[in-house]
Structure formats: C-alpha cells, structure tokens
Amino acid sequence: MTGQNEIILESLQFEAELAFVGNVCERLPGYNRYDGGFLHFIRSGNASLDLPDTPSLSISEPTLVFFPRPGFHRINPVDVEGVNLVCARIKFRGGGLNPLAESFPPYLAVPLGQLQDIGSVLPILFDEALSGELGHVDVVQSACVIIFVNLVRHLIETTEIPKHMVRALQDKNISMALAYIHNNYTAAITARSIAGGCNLSRSQLYKKFREVMGITPNEYLAAYRMIRAQSLLANSLPISEVATSVGYSGSPAFIRKYKELVGCSPTKWKKGAQSVPSLDGLLTN
C-alpha cells in the first residue's frame, strides 16, 4: 500500500511560502485572517494559540501548529522573552477542492518530538529561514514538505484524523481506488473500471467508498479532475485543451461540471473573480 499512498501524496502537493521568521515579543491586538493554510514552527518559548470563541491552547515545548484551511488565529508570547518561530503559508493544489486539505480538523498542534525522522530537518529549516541566502526559499519549501509528510504519517499511526483522505490511506482497497483515479483521471473511466482497479465489485466499491470518503467514487473523480484542471488553467492552457486533458469529451460538459463544483466558470475563475469554495458540503462524515 505504500506505493499507492505515495501516488496520492504526490498528486496532492502543496506550496510553502515563508511568511515570518524571528522572535515575537508582544501580544497581537487582534486575530489575523489568513486566506490559506499555515504552518507555524514554534522553536522555543511559551506561547498561547488563540482562536475566536475557543479556549486558548498553551504551548510550552517545540511544536508544529498546522492550519490546513483559511481562518482566524494568532500565536501570542506568554513570557517577556517572547516566542521564537518560523511561519509558512501553505497553498494546496486545488485550494478548497483538495480532499487532503479537507481531511484535517480545523487545526493541529503536535509537539515536534512526536514526529519521526525530522530531527535533522528542523535545524536546516530554521537556519535557512533565517539566512536569507540564495536558494533559501527552495530549501524551506522542501523542508516543509518533508515535515508535512511526517505529520501525515504520524496522524495515520495515531489515528487522530478519522475522516476522508487520511482514513482512506489506511484502507487497502480505497487507497487502491484513489491511486487508480489519480493515474487514470484523463481517460473516460467509470465506477466499474475503478472497482476493477481495487479488486472490488461495483456495489462493494460504492458502499465502502462512501463509508470511508463520505462521497461516491464518481463525485471524488469529478472533484479531483477540477483540482488538476485548475493547475492547467493557472498555466494559461485553453479551456478546450484543459477539458480533454482531464477526461472530458469537450468543453461544454467540462464547463457545466466546473460551474457545479467551483461556483463559477473556468474563465471567471482564471480572472480571480471568485475564490474556490470548500468541499465541506460534498465531503461529509
């Protein structure tokens, strides 16, 4: 199953952009509204994680705080010494349509000591973030990817996330089904062919897929195609070419489905006239 999981993780990549590095000594007066996900690496110091209408969380050891989706939050120092941290904005491919981003709870705070195999990565992350030298942005991006993969492994092992994508990675058949979709979304695949690719009958696939993912295989396929379509649209490919590249016979069918899932036409989305909505209404428990 490891190979299938790697296909899924590679297909649902994200970008990390360095947002802040240094020491925060003063309390923030209000909550910051972030338009995307965020990774906060608290290196030292005592801090409080504050969210609206939620009790503050005390942090007293090196900790990774992960916000997979947009929202309000702030990290405040507790002591006069302040808190030393590195912050990176996270942008998942496909935005709110990304099922991996939808797999996580509103936020996670994991002590860095609980994450395996990142002991040698963290010093590089902090040193490069502080250095500002040539190539440091690429190094920080790579370090964030390594840490994120280890976070996913940790959450799978500790079963702290009981929904959707991470839960699917634990299920052999559904993991195979997702890998089949990710490898063949450009073709005219059906639920029957997906079932054959994961050694289930069509009825077994529908039952198990809905139990694990909360949606049908066809709904997941459509959402995943939109994720890949947005990557192509962002690279200025013509809509007709995008449509055939993600498995549609022509532009009309693709545009109809795009409007249904994203809420606007591909042309309007490219112009940035409307942000991508979450799939909360589709990926339900």
Side-chain angles (χ1 to χ4, degrees):
M1 189 165 56
T2 300
Q4 291 135 13
N5 292 352
E6 289 176 353
I7 291 170
I8 293 165
L9 289 172
E10 288 175 3
S11 299
L12 298 174
Q13 294 175 354
F14 67 92
E15 298 175 359
E17 177 188 359
L18 189 62
F20 176 82
V21 55
N23 197 68
V24 177
C25 298
E26 298 180 355
R27 291 186 62 84
L28 299 174
Y31 295 103
N32 288 324
R33 172 66 169 90
Y34 298 104
D35 294 329
F38 240 88
L39 280 171
H40 300 285
F41 301 94
I42 298 175
R43 189 176 194 179
S44 62
N46 296 316
S48 67
L49 172 61
D50 303 329
L51 297 94
D53 304 318
T54 303
S56 295
L57 175 68
S58 296
I59 298 174
S60 58
E61 61 182 311
T63 298
L64 166 63
V65 180
F66 175 48
F67 287 86
R69 295 179 291 277
F72 292 88
H73 68 271
R74 64 190 178 193
I75 294 179
N76 276 319
V78 173
D79 306 319
V80 294
E81 293 83 2
V83 57
N84 187 264
L85 73 162
V86 172
C87 304
R89 293 185 180 90
I90 296 298
K91 182 180 179 182
F92 283 95
R93 177 183 292 172
L97 286 172
N98 192 303
L100 183 58
E102 290 295 331
S103 301
F104 294 99
Y107 76 92
L108 288 161
V110 182
L112 293 176
Q114 294 184 14
L115 300 178
Q116 301 176 5
D117 303 326
I118 65 168
S120 61
V121 178
L122 286 173
I124 296 174
L125 170 68
F126 288 113
D127 291 346
E128 287 291 329
L130 286 166
S131 73
E133 294 183 2
L134 179 66
H136 79 282
V137 172
D138 293 332
V139 175
V140 169
Q141 158 80 8
S142 298
C144 286
V145 170
I146 293 170
I147 292 168
F148 176 76
V149 169
N150 277 274
L151 173 63
V152 172
R153 289 174 180 169
H154 168 78
L155 295 169
I156 291 174
E157 291 171 359
T158 58
T159 63
E160 292 183 23
I161 298 183
K163 53 186 283 193
H164 310 322
M165 179 59 64
V166 174
R167 190 168 64 203
L169 297 179
Q170 297 174 289
D171 187 290
K172 180 179 179 180
N173 295 114
I174 301 306
S175 179
M176 291 174 66
L178 295 179
Y180 183 89
I181 290 172
H182 292 184
N183 279 327
N184 298 280
Y185 70 94
T186 61
I189 61 177
T190 64
R192 188 177 299 279
S193 63
I194 297 170
C198 65
N199 302 321
L200 293 174
S201 68
R202 188 172 179 275
S203 60
Q204 288 173 326
L205 171 67
Y206 263 86
K207 182 177 184 296
K208 196 166 189 179
F209 202 97
R210 185 176 284 279
E211 287 175 354
V212 173
M213 297 295 291
I215 57 175
T216 69
N218 289 337
E219 288 170 332
Y220 179 86
L221 171 62
Y224 185 72
R225 281 173 165 165
M226 296 306 109
I227 290 172
R228 304 314 298 252
Q230 287 178 352
S231 295
L232 299 175
L233 290 168
N235 289 325
S236 300
L237 266 70
I239 291 176
S240 59
E241 186 176 341
V242 172
T244 56
S245 296
V246 297
Y248 287 86
S249 58
S251 299
F254 167 69
I255 293 173
R256 283 196 301 272
K257 181 57 70 172
Y258 196 95
K259 287 181 178 179
E260 177 187 332
L261 287 182
V262 180
C264 65
S265 69
T267 301
K268 195 172 184 180
W269 181 85
K270 285 180 63 175
K271 293 178 179 179
Q274 184 168 332
S275 61
V276 181
S278 168
L279 275 187
D280 283 338
L282 183 59
L283 296 175
T284 56
N285 282 320

Short mmCIF file of all heavy atoms in Angstrom, two decimals, residues 69 99-104 161-171 174 178 209-215 220 279-280 282-285:
data_model
loop_
_atom_site.label_atom_id
_atom_site.label_comp_id
_atom_site.label_asym_id
_atom_site.label_seq_id
_atom_site.Cartn_x
_atom_site.Cartn_y
_atom_site.Cartn_z
N ARG A 69 -6.64 25.12 6.46
CA ARG A 69 -7.59 25.92 5.68
C ARG A 69 -7.59 27.37 6.17
O ARG A 69 -7.07 27.67 7.25
CB ARG A 69 -8.99 25.31 5.80
CG ARG A 69 -9.09 23.92 5.19
CD ARG A 69 -10.49 23.34 5.35
NE ARG A 69 -10.82 23.02 6.72
CZ ARG A 69 -10.46 21.89 7.33
NH1 ARG A 69 -9.74 20.99 6.70
NH2 ARG A 69 -10.83 21.66 8.58
N PRO A 99 -9.01 17.28 -1.46
CA PRO A 99 -9.53 16.37 -0.44
C PRO A 99 -8.55 16.10 0.69
O PRO A 99 -8.97 15.75 1.79
CB PRO A 99 -9.85 15.09 -1.22
CG PRO A 99 -8.99 15.17 -2.44
CD PRO A 99 -8.87 16.62 -2.77
N LEU A 100 -7.25 16.24 0.44
CA LEU A 100 -6.30 16.05 1.53
C LEU A 100 -6.42 17.17 2.55
O LEU A 100 -6.42 16.94 3.76
CB LEU A 100 -4.87 15.96 1.00
CG LEU A 100 -3.78 15.68 2.03
CD1 LEU A 100 -4.08 14.38 2.77
CD2 LEU A 100 -2.42 15.62 1.39
N ALA A 101 -6.55 18.40 2.07
CA ALA A 101 -6.75 19.52 3.00
C ALA A 101 -8.03 19.35 3.79
O ALA A 101 -8.11 19.68 4.98
CB ALA A 101 -6.78 20.83 2.21
N GLU A 102 -9.06 18.80 3.14
CA GLU A 102 -10.34 18.60 3.82
C GLU A 102 -10.28 17.47 4.83
O GLU A 102 -11.20 17.29 5.63
CB GLU A 102 -11.43 18.31 2.78
CG GLU A 102 -11.80 19.48 1.92
CD GLU A 102 -12.43 20.61 2.70
OE1 GLU A 102 -13.07 20.33 3.73
OE2 GLU A 102 -12.27 21.77 2.31
N SER A 103 -9.22 16.67 4.82
CA SER A 103 -9.12 15.55 5.74
C SER A 103 -8.79 15.99 7.15
O SER A 103 -9.04 15.25 8.10
CB SER A 103 -8.02 14.58 5.27
OG SER A 103 -8.28 14.09 3.99
N PHE A 104 -8.22 17.17 7.31
CA PHE A 104 -7.73 17.60 8.61
C PHE A 104 -8.80 18.35 9.40
O PHE A 104 -9.68 18.98 8.84
CB PHE A 104 -6.51 18.49 8.43
CG PHE A 104 -5.32 17.79 7.85
CD1 PHE A 104 -5.01 17.90 6.51
CD2 PHE A 104 -4.50 17.02 8.66
CE1 PHE A 104 -3.90 17.25 5.98
CE2 PHE A 104 -3.40 16.37 8.14
CZ PHE A 104 -3.10 16.49 6.79
N ILE A 161 -6.95 11.44 12.98
CA ILE A 161 -7.84 12.01 11.98
C ILE A 161 -8.73 10.90 11.43
O ILE A 161 -8.28 10.07 10.64
CB ILE A 161 -7.06 12.67 10.84
CG1 ILE A 161 -6.24 13.82 11.39
CG2 ILE A 161 -8.00 13.17 9.77
CD1 ILE A 161 -5.47 14.58 10.36
N PRO A 162 -9.99 10.84 11.81
CA PRO A 162 -10.85 9.72 11.43
C PRO A 162 -11.68 9.94 10.19
O PRO A 162 -12.75 9.38 10.05
CB PRO A 162 -11.76 9.61 12.66
CG PRO A 162 -11.96 11.03 13.07
CD PRO A 162 -10.65 11.73 12.77
N LYS A 163 -11.23 10.79 9.24
CA LYS A 163 -12.10 11.10 8.13
C LYS A 163 -11.34 11.19 6.81
O LYS A 163 -10.15 11.42 6.76
CB LYS A 163 -12.88 12.40 8.38
CG LYS A 163 -12.00 13.58 8.75
CD LYS A 163 -12.81 14.80 9.12
CE LYS A 163 -13.36 15.49 7.89
NZ LYS A 163 -13.89 16.83 8.19
N HIS A 164 -12.11 10.96 5.76
CA HIS A 164 -11.75 11.20 4.38
C HIS A 164 -10.37 10.69 3.95
O HIS A 164 -10.08 9.51 4.05
CB HIS A 164 -11.93 12.68 4.05
CG HIS A 164 -13.26 13.22 4.44
ND1 HIS A 164 -14.42 12.50 4.33
CD2 HIS A 164 -13.61 14.41 5.00
CE1 HIS A 164 -15.43 13.23 4.78
NE2 HIS A 164 -14.97 14.37 5.19
N MET A 165 -9.49 11.61 3.54
CA MET A 165 -8.29 11.19 2.85
C MET A 165 -7.35 10.37 3.73
O MET A 165 -6.86 9.32 3.31
CB MET A 165 -7.55 12.40 2.29
CG MET A 165 -6.27 12.07 1.56
SD MET A 165 -6.52 10.94 0.17
CE MET A 165 -7.54 11.97 -0.90
N VAL A 166 -7.06 10.85 4.94
CA VAL A 166 -6.13 10.12 5.79
C VAL A 166 -6.70 8.76 6.16
O VAL A 166 -5.99 7.76 6.21
CB VAL A 166 -5.78 10.94 7.05
CG1 VAL A 166 -4.92 10.13 8.00
CG2 VAL A 166 -5.07 12.21 6.65
N ARG A 167 -8.00 8.70 6.40
CA ARG A 167 -8.65 7.43 6.67
C ARG A 167 -8.55 6.52 5.46
O ARG A 167 -8.35 5.31 5.59
CB ARG A 167 -10.10 7.66 7.06
CG ARG A 167 -10.81 6.42 7.62
CD ARG A 167 -12.13 6.81 8.24
NE ARG A 167 -13.06 7.36 7.27
CZ ARG A 167 -14.08 8.16 7.59
NH1 ARG A 167 -14.23 8.56 8.83
NH2 ARG A 167 -14.90 8.60 6.67
N ALA A 168 -8.65 7.10 4.26
CA ALA A 168 -8.57 6.30 3.04
C ALA A 168 -7.19 5.69 2.88
O ALA A 168 -7.05 4.57 2.37
CB ALA A 168 -8.91 7.16 1.83
N LEU A 169 -6.15 6.40 3.32
CA LEU A 169 -4.79 5.87 3.19
C LEU A 169 -4.58 4.63 4.05
O LEU A 169 -3.65 3.86 3.82
CB LEU A 169 -3.77 6.94 3.60
CG LEU A 169 -3.74 8.20 2.73
CD1 LEU A 169 -2.70 9.17 3.25
CD2 LEU A 169 -3.47 7.87 1.27
N GLN A 170 -5.45 4.44 5.03
CA GLN A 170 -5.34 3.27 5.92
C GLN A 170 -6.09 2.06 5.36
O GLN A 170 -5.97 0.96 5.88
CB GLN A 170 -5.89 3.61 7.30
CG GLN A 170 -5.11 4.70 8.02
CD GLN A 170 -5.79 5.09 9.32
OE1 GLN A 170 -6.84 5.71 9.35
NE2 GLN A 170 -5.18 4.71 10.42
N ASP A 171 -6.90 2.27 4.33
CA ASP A 171 -7.73 1.20 3.77
C ASP A 171 -7.14 0.75 2.45
O ASP A 171 -7.03 1.52 1.50
CB ASP A 171 -9.16 1.71 3.58
CG ASP A 171 -10.11 0.61 3.17
OD1 ASP A 171 -10.00 0.13 2.02
OD2 ASP A 171 -10.96 0.21 3.98
N ILE A 174 -9.57 1.18 -0.76
CA ILE A 174 -9.86 2.57 -1.10
C ILE A 174 -8.57 3.29 -1.51
O ILE A 174 -8.58 4.14 -2.41
CB ILE A 174 -10.55 3.29 0.06
CG1 ILE A 174 -11.87 2.58 0.40
CG2 ILE A 174 -10.82 4.74 -0.29
CD1 ILE A 174 -12.82 2.41 -0.78
N LEU A 178 -8.23 5.23 -5.04
CA LEU A 178 -7.77 6.60 -5.21
C LEU A 178 -6.55 6.65 -6.14
O LEU A 178 -6.45 7.53 -7.00
CB LEU A 178 -7.42 7.21 -3.86
CG LEU A 178 -8.59 7.40 -2.89
CD1 LEU A 178 -8.09 7.99 -1.58
CD2 LEU A 178 -9.67 8.29 -3.49
N PHE A 209 -16.53 2.98 -0.44
CA PHE A 209 -16.02 4.31 -0.75
C PHE A 209 -16.82 5.37 0.00
O PHE A 209 -16.26 6.31 0.57
CB PHE A 209 -16.10 4.57 -2.26
CG PHE A 209 -15.16 5.64 -2.75
CD1 PHE A 209 -13.93 5.30 -3.29
CD2 PHE A 209 -15.51 6.98 -2.68
CE1 PHE A 209 -13.06 6.28 -3.75
CE2 PHE A 209 -14.64 7.96 -3.14
CZ PHE A 209 -13.42 7.61 -3.66
N ARG A 210 -18.14 5.21 0.03
CA ARG A 210 -18.97 6.18 0.74
C ARG A 210 -18.73 6.11 2.24
O ARG A 210 -18.73 7.13 2.94
CB ARG A 210 -20.46 5.96 0.43
CG ARG A 210 -21.36 7.00 1.04
CD ARG A 210 -22.80 6.80 0.64
NE ARG A 210 -23.06 7.23 -0.72
CZ ARG A 210 -23.27 8.50 -1.08
NH1 ARG A 210 -23.20 9.46 -0.16
NH2 ARG A 210 -23.53 8.81 -2.32
N GLU A 211 -18.51 4.90 2.77
CA GLU A 211 -18.24 4.75 4.20
C GLU A 211 -16.95 5.47 4.59
O GLU A 211 -16.88 6.11 5.64
CB GLU A 211 -18.12 3.27 4.57
CG GLU A 211 -19.44 2.52 4.59
CD GLU A 211 -19.26 1.04 4.84
OE1 GLU A 211 -18.08 0.59 4.87
OE2 GLU A 211 -20.26 0.32 4.99
N VAL A 212 -15.93 5.35 3.74
CA VAL A 212 -14.61 5.91 4.06
C VAL A 212 -14.52 7.39 3.69
O VAL A 212 -14.05 8.22 4.48
CB VAL A 212 -13.50 5.12 3.36
CG1 VAL A 212 -12.14 5.78 3.55
CG2 VAL A 212 -13.46 3.69 3.89
N MET A 213 -14.96 7.75 2.48
CA MET A 213 -14.75 9.09 1.95
C MET A 213 -15.94 10.03 2.15
O MET A 213 -15.80 11.24 2.05
CB MET A 213 -14.42 9.02 0.45
CG MET A 213 -13.13 8.28 0.14
SD MET A 213 -11.67 9.13 0.77
CE MET A 213 -11.63 10.58 -0.28
N GLY A 214 -17.13 9.47 2.38
CA GLY A 214 -18.31 10.30 2.55
C GLY A 214 -18.96 10.71 1.26
O GLY A 214 -19.98 11.41 1.26
N ILE A 215 -18.40 10.31 0.12
CA ILE A 215 -18.95 10.62 -1.19
C ILE A 215 -18.79 9.39 -2.08
O ILE A 215 -18.17 8.40 -1.69
CB ILE A 215 -18.24 11.82 -1.85
CG1 ILE A 215 -16.72 11.55 -1.96
CG2 ILE A 215 -18.50 13.10 -1.08
CD1 ILE A 215 -15.97 12.63 -2.72
N TYR A 220 -15.87 11.91 -6.24
CA TYR A 220 -14.46 12.15 -5.97
C TYR A 220 -13.70 12.38 -7.27
O TYR A 220 -12.87 13.28 -7.37
CB TYR A 220 -13.84 10.99 -5.20
CG TYR A 220 -12.37 11.20 -4.94
CD1 TYR A 220 -11.95 11.91 -3.82
CD2 TYR A 220 -11.40 10.74 -5.83
CE1 TYR A 220 -10.61 12.15 -3.60
CE2 TYR A 220 -10.06 10.98 -5.62
CZ TYR A 220 -9.66 11.67 -4.49
OH TYR A 220 -8.33 11.93 -4.28
N LEU A 279 -15.09 22.03 -0.02
CA LEU A 279 -15.93 20.89 -0.36
C LEU A 279 -16.67 20.36 0.87
O LEU A 279 -17.05 19.21 0.91
CB LEU A 279 -15.08 19.77 -0.97
CG LEU A 279 -14.83 19.86 -2.47
CD1 LEU A 279 -14.13 18.60 -2.95
CD2 LEU A 279 -16.09 20.09 -3.26
N ASP A 280 -16.83 21.22 1.91
CA ASP A 280 -17.48 20.74 3.13
C ASP A 280 -18.85 20.14 2.83
O ASP A 280 -19.29 19.19 3.47
CB ASP A 280 -17.63 21.89 4.14
CG ASP A 280 -16.32 22.19 4.84
OD1 ASP A 280 -15.46 21.29 4.86
OD2 ASP A 280 -16.17 23.30 5.36
N LEU A 282 -19.70 18.55 0.25
CA LEU A 282 -19.59 17.32 -0.52
C LEU A 282 -18.90 16.23 0.28
O LEU A 282 -19.34 15.09 0.32
CB LEU A 282 -18.81 17.58 -1.81
CG LEU A 282 -18.65 16.43 -2.79
CD1 LEU A 282 -20.01 15.94 -3.25
CD2 LEU A 282 -17.83 16.88 -3.99
N LEU A 283 -17.78 16.58 0.95
CA LEU A 283 -17.03 15.61 1.75
C LEU A 283 -17.56 15.64 3.17
O LEU A 283 -17.02 16.28 4.05
CB LEU A 283 -15.54 15.95 1.74
CG LEU A 283 -14.85 15.87 0.38
CD1 LEU A 283 -13.43 16.35 0.50
CD2 LEU A 283 -14.89 14.46 -0.16
N THR A 284 -18.65 14.95 3.40
CA THR A 284 -19.28 14.92 4.72
C THR A 284 -18.90 13.64 5.43
O THR A 284 -18.50 12.65 4.84
CB THR A 284 -20.80 14.99 4.59
OG1 THR A 284 -21.25 13.92 3.75
CG2 THR A 284 -21.23 16.31 3.99
N ASN A 285 -19.04 13.66 6.75
CA ASN A 285 -18.75 12.47 7.54
C ASN A 285 -19.75 11.36 7.25
O ASN A 285 -20.91 11.64 7.06
CB ASN A 285 -18.78 12.79 9.03
CG ASN A 285 -17.49 13.51 9.45
OD1 ASN A 285 -16.42 13.15 8.98
ND2 ASN A 285 -17.61 14.48 10.33
#
